[in-house]
Every structure is written in C-alpha cells, then in structure tokens.
Amino acid sequence: MNKPKDSADRTFQPAADRELVRLVNACCDDHATDGDIRRLEERLSNDPEALAWYVEQIGVHTSLDWSVTAQDAALAASVLNLETPFSQRSRPRGRERRYGREAIGYALLAVCASLVGIALTGWALQQRSAPSEAQLAARVPTAKITHPTDGARWVVLCSNSRPDGMRTDVFPNETVHLTSGQMRIDFEQGAEVTLTGPAVLQVLAPDRAVAVRGKLTAVVSEEAIGFAIDTPRAHVVDLGTRFGVEVDDLGQTDVVVFEGEVDIAYGPIEQRSNDWSRRVMRMGEAVRVDDLGAAQRIVSIPSERFAAAAPSDAPLVEPVIADIRDNIRGDQSWNYYEVVRAGLREDALAYVDRESHEWNGFDERGLPAYLLGADYVKMFNNDKVQSDYELSVTVARPALLFVLFDDRVPPPEWLVRDFTDTGDDVGMDRGRFRNLGGTMNESFASGVGPGVSIEDRLSVWVRRVEKPSSVLLGATQTPHNRLNMYGIAAVPLLD
Amino acid sequence: MQDNTSDRPPDSSSAPLGDTQSGTPSNESVDQFVQLFAKHQRRVHAYIGAVLPSRNDADDVMQETSIALWRKWSSFDQSREFLPWACGVAHIEVLRHRRKYATQRVYFNENLMQDIAEEVLAQSEIAELRSEALVACLRRLNEADRQLVEQRYGGGVTALKAAEQLGRPPSTVYKALARIRRGLLDCVRRRISPELRG
C-alpha cells in the first residue's frame, strides 16, 4: 500500500462517508455483524485514506478503552495482595480470566500500571524525537540503502522506535521497514543485503542484523566474512557466501545457501540460543526452522523466490515445473533442488552442487531453440552414482518434459521406455569444481557461449505430458562416476 | 534526549535474568521487564485493538501477549529494541487467536491486518502528541458527554450495558458515543496539526 500521509495532509472527510462511519462505530461498540466486518474489510482494503482514518479513529477508541487493562492488572494484583492505585476501582468484566495460571504476568502488569499511572486521566507522556540533521551528519552510518526499485517504499525507525522517513543512511539499532518493492542495504563491513518487501530488518552493527520478517538475500565478500543474520528461530553466520533468509509472521525461518557456506544455530524461542543446535550449511542446502524451532528439509526452491538467485532478466511466466521430490534424502539431508523458472540458456548453471558446470550448445549452433527459456531443474551432480535413485517431477500444466542424458553411458531402461530421443544434443562446460573429497579441481576451464570449452555431450530426450501430473524418473543405472547427472527441463505444451 | 529514550535495560550486559523456570525471577529481571513493558504496553494494545476490532478478542489477545512476553522474557536479546519484539509477539498471538476462532468468528484477512499494522506504525510517529491532545480534548467535553465516556470506558462495560445502566435506548447511546469519538478525533487533529506543520 502507499505510504500513509501525515494527518495534517489528509483530506479524507469521514462525515461524508456514512457507511464507513457506521461500520467503524459498530466495531467500537461491539455490535458489528459478520457482514459489517466483511464490508469494512472490503472498504479498508481498497482505500488507503479510509484505512488511515480507521486507524486514527480506532486509536481514539483504544486510548479511551485503555483503562480496562489497568483494571485487569488491579484485579490480578488483588489476587496477589499487591497494592496498586487501581485496587479501589476495579470492576469485573464478566469474562473469565486466568489469574491463577499466569499470576506472575498479571502481577507484572499491575506493577506496570502503578508505574505509569495509566487511566482515563493519566496518559504518561514521553516526548521522543528523531535525530536532527546535524546529529545524523556527525555520525557514520552502519549501512546505506541503495538500489531501491521503482515503487519501493520504506521507513527507517530510529533506535527509539520513532519513524524517521525514507532516508538512506541507517545507524546501529535502527530498523528498516520495507512495505513494497525491493532495495539493497550495503553494510559498512561489506555485506550486501537485498530486501524484498514487505520486510523488516533491524541493523544492529556493521556485521550484524536481525531479519524480523520478510525475505532477504545476502552477498558477503571475503572481507565481510562473519556477517551474521538473526531471526526469531535461527542465527546465521556467513563464511563467505551468498545465502537467502525468509521469516514469516510466526517466526518460521527458511535459510538457503546459494554459494559457499554458513554456520547456522537454530532452536525454540523459549530456549537460550547458546543451547540451540548447530551445523554448517553448504552450497545447495536449505532448511526450514519451523515455529517450534525444529529443522526440516526444503526439497525444492523456485529460482524467483530470492531476489539475487533469479536471472535478472527472466520473464515473468507461469511455472511449468511445479515440484520436485526424491526418495533418497530424509530430514538429515538439507539438499534442495532449484527450479529455475524460464531460465535455460547458454551458460546456465547446471547443478546446485557445482559452481561452474554450465549448459551450452554442443557446437556453435547453440542450444536447441525449443529449450531456450525452458524451466529447468538444477540437480545434484553427485546423485549420478545413486543406484536406487527416484525422482518425481510435477508439471503444473501440459508440457514437453526433457531429460538431458550423458552420452558416455547407455540410456537406462526407464528413459528408453518413457522418453524419445530427439536426436539433438547439448554440451556441458564443466569449469572448476569441488571434488567429493572437498578439494578444488582446476582441470577444466570455463568458456562462454555455445561450443566453447565443452567437455561432455548429452542427448535430449522428450516426453509429452498431456495434463498436470507427476512423472517418475529413475537412476542413471551405471557405476560410472565420471558422467554427469542428467538434467531436466520443461516447456508448455502448445495446442 | 536520545539517552533517555534508549530501550535497552540499564546495564543489561551484566544483569542476570534470573531463574524464570522456577518462577523466581530476580529482582533485576522483574524491574527490567516492568520498565520496558510499562513504557510500551499502550502501543502494543493500540496495535492489537486496530487489527482485532472486537473488544473481547482484543482483550484476550492483550492478555495472551502479556503472558507470552513474560514467558519469553528470559530469551529476549537485550541488545534489541523492546517494542518491535513486543509487537512481533503480539502479531503472533493475533494470528494464533484468529486461527483458533476462524470457524466461529469473522476476522480481517491477513493482508488487511498487515496494512493496518503498517499504518499503525506510520502513525506511531505522532502517537505521543495524539495522546497528549486527547487528554486536553477530553477535558473540553461537556458534562453529559464526559459522564457517558466515563460510564462506557471508565466503567469497562459495553455500550449496550452502559445504555442499560443509564436507562437510555441503545441506539441513542451508540449515536452519542459515535459523535463523541468523532468530535474527539477532530479535536485531536486540530490540536496537533500546527505542530506537525511547524
């Protein structure tokens, strides 16, 4: 939604909008019908000015109503024999309260109430102010907001929680609320965090931030190694990498490693973070820490989900490949398949566990035209040796499903049975990669474009999938560990 | 001024949180929580009241939020700000409440809740000014209106119950309260506008 205007600038005249006034007052006085709530929802959803007025008017109502909480505190306090200024004027509300079970919480409420003297006659006021321009100029920002997209709207909250407009300098303990669009936050120490709205990020220090809600991708250069992101359920420390984090409203946290490694600690919010589980996550791994603090594997991730992971010029299209499932990884494995939406092209990265293996045309003629712009799956090249491997590919609509299979070994039975060899080939440009033992193999150079630095030839097999459904694929069925794991691509089946 | 507005507890790096598991939190821990909660609870309440227009729902969620804040206090990272944390906890409680009663009652959809939350946040910039203005505006109410406000809000009863207690038709009380709230909002706007423009 649009950034709200200051009250002084608003021209909305509620008196002229009798329906809205009636609906809001019905809510305030507890006689709104279900239909009233739905209608109010409709009105507020489509009218930012009405929404702003609603919040103002409800704000008056809740301020008047505030004494009720103090009364509850007084009731609880009387249970605990605590004296408060409200103990002489408490009135029951006629609703069951759970004082016994959580008495300590209410006792605290009571103490709070006595501290601030809240009631109709006592608004305890504390004037807060944003830092002046001179104060801002005297300080060095911890991070800077850069590259906001068109339509990006945000507000920076000072460390005292006061909003201070759409400024670009961010200081320690300030919070960036991005309501729409996308932006990058460049941290002083070198980390670049791309936020996708709606998102809330608190900047703690040059090397640390809290992802309160929303989605971010962090690119961390060597000098910024150690950059940390906290979430309600996880603590992620970068070890020189590119990774994504998404936090939902319940604090559930997804962490995805696109390159390099991160240290992750995770656990329930009730537990101290020192007691959380810890693990190193590597390229090609993703995990969901649920709202109870338990870790679960994320099996597949669409490329467009995280800003810096998707091809920047990828067109917005309906997905063809909807889901991927395999039979060999339990919750102990955090490996994920990346489904790259409309992303197959020359030099497209082929595997989630290889830094440089790229799809290319086998010769200068390039990739077959029907494959360009296809959805494709970045597989695990190491799965080429899994003899009992099965993979379920779900297509969201009628499609041509392609398997790109290494010519150095005979095609397995399932491939010959269910697919047809098109007679076309594609090439694999390996580049440098990490061996299974972890050492870097520098034997192969990387080229750019079709037919350049091609090490392997793979045949294009095809199958028509007439309706949205799942297709089961099998293993390479060979002990040969120097071939490539097959690739998968799909394009819509046109009439 | 800035020093006085820090949300961090004093000497938070050395203050032990105490043994909340055994129900015997340390005095320091209680003091820290009390101070921060006292400072911010009205804003948390305002946020809940805006996304849950039913008073009973809002009261229940405020209760649950207070409990949750205390329960989670021992895991609160004291290098962080209290209010965003408290509002995050409140938002979770709102969603829990909504999920629990979704088949029995009608609530705003989550998108609208999010929009409202953002609007509350945007307006919080002048929340203190509003509160100050509202106190002044309440003092300017005539006697009859002041009595009605006291009966309805100070008495902690519904508008319907207030009408019964006053022996007046509910529709009359509803209209009067609507007029008073609108008048108070207009008064608040008039009082704070010059300062905003200045």
Side-chain angles (χ1 to χ4, degrees):
Chain A
M1 59 176 290
N2 293 333
K3 182 176 181 287
K5 301 172 188 175
D6 284 338
S7 300
D9 296 326
R10 289 188 180 121
T11 56
F12 181 66
Q13 295 297 321
D17 192 334
R18 291 187 177 182
E19 182 195 40
L20 188 63
V21 170
R22 182 187 71 76
L23 292 170
V24 173
N25 281 304
C27 288
C28 291
D29 291 326
D30 289 301
H31 59 88
T33 65
D34 289 356
D36 287 339
I37 299 283
R38 283 282 166 257
R39 179 59 183 154
L40 182 58
E41 180 184 70
E42 188 180 335
R43 291 293 314 274
L44 299 181
S45 297
N46 298 318
D47 188 344
E49 296 289 347
L51 177 65
W53 178 78
Y54 165 79
V55 169
E56 280 188 280
Q57 185 66 82
I58 284 285
V60 169
H61 165 67
T62 56
S63 291
L64 293 172
D65 206 20
W66 178 233
S67 60
V68 170
T69 304
Q71 290 169 31
D72 285 345
L75 282 173
S78 67
V79 172
L80 297 167
N81 295 318
L82 294 175
E83 291 295 329
T84 81
F86 305 97
S87 57
Q88 301 303 312
R89 56 186 293 267
S90 59
R91 286 161 287 241
R93 292 283 314 285
R95 287 173 61 82
E96 184 183 355
R97 299 291 175 188
R98 295 174 283 256
Y99 300 131
R101 185 165 62 86
E102 300 290 348
I104 186 68
Y106 289 102
L108 286 160
L109 267 173
V111 181
C112 294
S114 66
L115 278 177
V116 294
I118 41 178
L120 274 172
T121 53
W123 274 269
L125 300 177
Q126 182 182 6
Q127 188 63 49
R128 292 173 168 180
S129 63
S132 66
E133 286 186 16
Q135 286 173 311
L136 287 175
R139 291 192 284 161
V140 177
T142 303
K144 278 184 175 290
I145 292 171
T146 64
H147 302 82
T149 57
D150 289 343
R153 292 188 174 277
W154 72 91
V155 63
V156 175
L157 266 65
C158 301
S159 57
N160 61 7
S161 300
R162 177 171 181 153
D164 193 29
M166 289 176 65
R167 61 176 155 86
T168 54
D169 286 349
V170 187
F171 298 92
N173 296 314
E174 293 192 330
T175 304
V176 179
H177 282 249
L178 176 66
T179 55
S180 61
Q182 206 172 77
M183 61 161 61
R184 205 174 82 190
I185 302 178
D186 294 350
F187 283 74
E188 188 187 357
Q189 192 168 315
E192 296 172 355
V193 173
T194 301
L195 269 188
T196 302
V200 180
L201 185 83
Q202 185 183 20
V203 173
L204 294 181
D207 61 350
R208 188 169 181 184
V210 178
V212 180
R213 189 176 66 247
K215 192 158 47 181
L216 66 86
T217 305
V219 179
V220 182
S221 58
E222 233 173 72
E223 60 269 25
I225 286 176
F227 178 76
I229 292 280
D230 289 321
T231 83
R233 302 286 184 276
H235 176 63
V236 181
V237 179
D238 178 86
L239 303 176
T241 191
R242 189 165 59 95
F243 66 96
V245 173
E246 182 168 5
V247 182
D248 77 0
D249 286 339
L250 296 176
Q252 178 172 276
T253 300
D254 290 358
V255 179
V256 185
V257 181
F258 302 112
E259 289 177 24
E261 296 177 350
V262 302
D263 265 337
I264 180 172
Y266 60 94
I269 197 166
E270 294 80 11
Q271 200 175 48
R272 287 175 184 276
S273 56
N274 286 344
D275 298 327
W276 283 359
S277 304
R278 292 171 188 281
R279 175 166 167 167
V280 174
M281 290 179 67
R282 296 187 169 82
M283 175 184 179
E285 290 190 322
V287 68
R288 168 163 298 162
V289 183
D290 65 20
D291 55 356
L292 299 176
Q296 302 166 1
R297 178 191 179 201
I298 301 174
V299 179
S300 67
I301 294 177
S303 57
E304 72 274 18
R305 183 170 162 194
F306 288 95
S312 59
D313 56 347
L316 293 173
V317 293
E318 292 295 315
V320 182
I321 297 174
D323 197 17
I324 297 286
R325 301 276 157 181
D326 66 32
N327 67 331
I328 62 169
R329 293 183 174 87
D331 283 343
Q332 293 308 305
S333 167
W334 288 359
N335 293 119
Y336 70 90
Y337 296 90
E338 184 178 344
V339 181
V340 184
R341 198 72 68 216
L344 190 51
R345 64 185 71 187
E346 298 291 343
D347 302 307
L349 288 174
Y351 301 105
V352 288
D353 58 351
R354 293 291 188 274
E355 294 173 19
S356 304
H357 281 49
E358 295 174 348
W359 294 116
N360 280 114
F362 181 71
D363 56 30
E364 66 280 358
R365 290 176 295 174
L367 288 166
Y370 52 79
L371 287 180
L372 293 173
D375 279 12
Y376 80 103
V377 182
K378 287 166 75 172
M379 308 279 284
F380 296 90
N381 205 2
N382 288 347
D383 284 347
K384 59 195 174 188
V385 297
Q386 298 280 356
S387 58
D388 56 350
Y389 182 80
E390 283 186 347
L391 186 75
S392 170
V393 182
T394 302
V395 295
R397 47 181 169 155
L400 289 175
L401 182 64
F402 300 99
V403 170
L404 315 177
F405 199 85
D406 200 310
D407 279 358
R408 289 173 291 175
V409 292
E413 180 188 343
W414 61 266
L415 184 62
V416 175
R417 183 186 67 231
D418 298 335
F419 287 76
T420 303
D421 189 346
T422 62
D424 295 325
D425 296 326
V426 297
M428 177 65 69
D429 178 1
R430 293 189 203 171
R432 67 203 291 267
F433 62 94
R434 203 173 288 277
N435 292 317
L436 284 173
T439 57
M440 190 60 74
N441 187 326
E442 306 274 3
S443 308
F444 304 98
S446 283
V448 177
V452 180
S453 184
I454 301 298
E455 280 82 23
D456 309 316
R457 181 197 291 245
L458 297 92
S459 291
V460 181
W461 297 70
V462 66
R463 171 177 174 172
R464 289 174 65 91
V465 184
E466 301 287 354
K467 58 183 179 182
S469 57
S470 297
V471 175
L472 196 62
L473 310 181
T476 56
Q477 294 180 353
T478 171
H480 193 328
N481 68 358
R482 292 203 172 187
L483 79 165
N484 291 295
M485 181 59 181
Y486 55 79
I488 297 170
V491 298
L493 184 57
L494 304 175
D495 294 332
Chain B
M1 193 68 184
Q2 289 294 301
D3 291 341
N4 293 335
T5 58
S6 170
D7 285 341
R8 288 188 196 142
D11 195 23
S12 59
S13 59
S14 60
L17 285 175
D19 181 11
T20 57
Q21 298 291 324
S22 65
T24 55
S26 70
N27 289 338
E28 279 176 316
S29 175
V30 172
D31 286 349
Q32 287 169 5
F33 181 83
V34 164
Q35 286 174 23
L36 289 169
F37 191 74
K39 183 175 171 182
H40 294 294
Q41 59 178 337
R42 188 156 50 87
R43 286 190 181 182
V44 176
H45 180 254
Y47 161 72
I48 293 170
V51 295
L52 293 172
S54 159
R55 181 183 187 177
N56 286 339
D57 285 329
D59 287 354
D60 286 347
V61 171
M62 186 65 197
Q63 266 194 13
E64 296 299 340
T65 300
S66 305
I67 294 167
L69 288 171
W70 175 241
R71 274 184 182 157
K72 295 173 180 176
W73 173 240
S74 63
S75 63
F76 174 56
D77 179 354
Q78 296 187 27
S79 67
R80 294 169 60 181
E81 300 290 321
F82 183 87
L83 184 61
W85 175 69
C87 285
V89 172
H91 191 64
I92 290 171
E93 295 303 326
V94 166
L95 294 178
R96 276 193 219 285
H97 188 86
R98 183 178 182 274
R99 193 162 49 195
K100 188 174 178 182
Y101 295 105
T103 58
Q104 301 169 33
R105 303 175 203 166
V106 174
Y107 296 97
F108 290 152
N109 62 50
E110 286 193 35
N111 286 340
L112 179 56
M113 284 185 171
Q114 188 62 43
D115 287 347
I116 290 171
E118 288 168 10
E119 180 67 28
V120 169
L121 182 70
Q123 292 191 18
S124 70
E125 183 175 2
I126 53 172
E128 306 291 7
L129 286 173
R130 283 183 197 282
S131 296
E132 198 173 347
L134 183 58
V135 172
C137 293
L138 279 166
R139 293 199 186 103
R140 295 181 60 187
L141 289 179
N142 64 41
E143 189 56 31
D145 288 350
R146 192 199 311 271
Q147 282 183 5
L148 179 54
V149 168
E150 172 62 24
Q151 191 75 30
R152 161 72 173 85
Y153 290 100
V157 299
T158 64
L160 186 62
K161 188 71 177 175
E164 284 177 23
Q165 292 171 345
L166 293 168
R168 295 165 64 180
S171 59
T172 305
V173 169
Y174 292 154
K175 284 180 185 172
L177 286 169
R179 174 181 52 76
I180 292 168
R181 282 190 294 258
R182 200 173 69 207
L184 287 171
L185 177 57
D186 289 342
C187 172
V188 167
R189 283 179 158 190
R190 281 195 302 274
R191 290 187 73 88
I192 64 175
S193 292
E195 294 179 65
L196 286 177
R197 291 187 184 116

